[in-house]
Amino acid sequence: YTIYQSMVLFFFENYTGVQVIIYGDLPKNKENVIYLSNHQCTVDWIIADMLAIRQNALGHVRYVLKDGLKWLPLYGWYFSQHGGVYVKRSAKFNEKEMREKLRAQMKAETPMYLVIFPEGTRYNPEIPKVIADSQSFAEKEGLAILKHVLTPRVKATHVAIDTMKDYLDAVYDVTVAYEGTVDHKGQRKLAPSMTEFLCKECPRVHIFIDRIELKDIPEEQMYMRRWLHERFEIKDKLLIEFYDAKDSKRRNKFPGKSVHSKLSLKKTLPSLLFLGGLTASMLLTESGRKLYVKTWIYGTLIGCLWVSIKP
């Protein structure tokens, strides 16, 4: 799992040459954490890996994923086997199932870097209805209306913190902004897809980390919901500064000190060579190619059966 994630980072960081700008406090040591982030594109998943590898915790990354993703060929099963938790939205959310999965991970003493996107879906400027509905819901509930993030949902966050509160060291509140996602009129546009990112269309990624102690987070869901919304208000203010600051010199960066964190090739190149060599050795022979195809076909079928029985 660590080798695979490391190879992914070779392409998304070393190959693209993207500059990773880190603000706030990223601990150097490994910790068991819940990672809460705004969500705007598929590259957001990779950002968690970028931070984890800088703490030597790359193999610790687990994800809370939309239930439909468990049917992805091979990957649905793969992420489930490595601590991924599949959840349904709103009334269909299965709290008992999520708690059982997390307890099993704790019982096995699995290192935990659990990634949650509380918005539940991506912030997409090209789908204004989703943003408007989110803002209407916040207004109806008496919550602050947010501009650059959606109103967060608290269920997965509450279940994760409540279940693992004696297992966790901290919560990382992470805010991500992709440079170059503003059009000529100054309006925010769609964040880069994985393909666009790999085509080097994003020059810099800005990541703001706030490490929060568990004692500073309310335990009851009702109060945690208010706390989570306040955290997203902070994210919104950071992103307003990034995208909309009146002073052009303050745009395209977060406030405070920053570090340009460059990832060494030593961290990723060995994984690329190992997995690339393994794949090439299979594809160079007829029997290897047949095995490769069968792995995808039968692996996908068995994986789908597995996650339908044991999510």
Side-chain angles (χ1 to χ4, degrees), residues 17 40 113 135 143 181 202-203 206 221 257 275 283 290:
Q40 51 205 310
Y113 204 100
Q135 292 173 339
L143 301 168
T181 51
C202 178
H206 298 258
Q221 182 171 319
K257 294 182 179 179
L275 291 178
L283 297 180
K290 288 180 179 178

Side-chain angles (χ1 to χ4, degrees), residues 2 15 26 53 66 71 73 76 87 91 97 100 103 112 149 157 176 186 201 215 217 219 233 240 253 258 268 293:
T2 304
Y15 166 74
L26 179 67
I53 198 170
K66 290 187 293 185
W71 306 116
V87 298
E97 197 172 87
E100 288 177 352
R103 285 179 184 135
M112 188 59 62
V149 290
T157 303
V176 180
E201 294 186 21
K215 62 181 178 61
I217 302 173
E219 292 189 9
E233 286 181 58
I240 287 171
K253 61 183 178 180
S258 64
T268 62
V293 172

Side-chain angles (χ1 to χ4, degrees), residues 146-177:
L146 307 173
K147 180 180 180 182
H148 285 292
V149 290
L150 302 177
T151 304
R153 305 164 189 240
V154 75
K155 282 186 178 180
T157 303
H158 177 259
V159 170
I161 293 177
D162 186 58
T163 304
M164 300 193 296
K165 56 190 174 187
D166 296 325
Y167 194 75
L168 298 170
D169 296 305
V171 168
Y172 293 174
D173 185 11
V174 180
T175 306
V176 180

Side-chain angles (χ1 to χ4, degrees), residues 211-247:
R211 183 185 183 279
I212 302 170
E213 298 282 351
L214 270 294
K215 62 181 178 61
D216 296 328
I217 302 173
E219 292 189 9
E220 292 186 32
Q221 182 171 319
M222 183 175 81
Y223 297 113
M224 190 182 291
R225 179 191 182 201
R226 175 67 64 174
W227 169 85
L228 184 61
H229 196 85
E230 288 171 355
R231 295 308 310 178
F232 269 72
E233 286 181 58
I234 294 171
K235 290 180 184 299
D236 202 41
K237 289 176 182 177
L238 287 170
L239 291 167
I240 287 171
E241 182 83 1
F242 188 91
Y243 291 112
D244 306 328
K246 292 181 180 179
D247 183 352

Side-chain angles (χ1 to χ4, degrees), residues 282-283 285-296:
M282 290 180 66
L283 297 180
T285 64
E286 185 177 349
S287 58
R289 288 191 290 272
K290 288 180 179 178
L291 177 61
Y292 185 81
V293 172
K294 288 179 179 178
T295 298
W296 274 96

Side-chain angles (χ1 to χ4, degrees), residues 99-113:
R99 286 186 187 274
E100 288 177 352
K101 184 71 179 271
L102 294 175
R103 285 179 184 135
Q105 296 296 317
M106 288 189 293
K107 187 177 179 180
E109 298 184 353
T110 304
M112 188 59 62
Y113 204 100

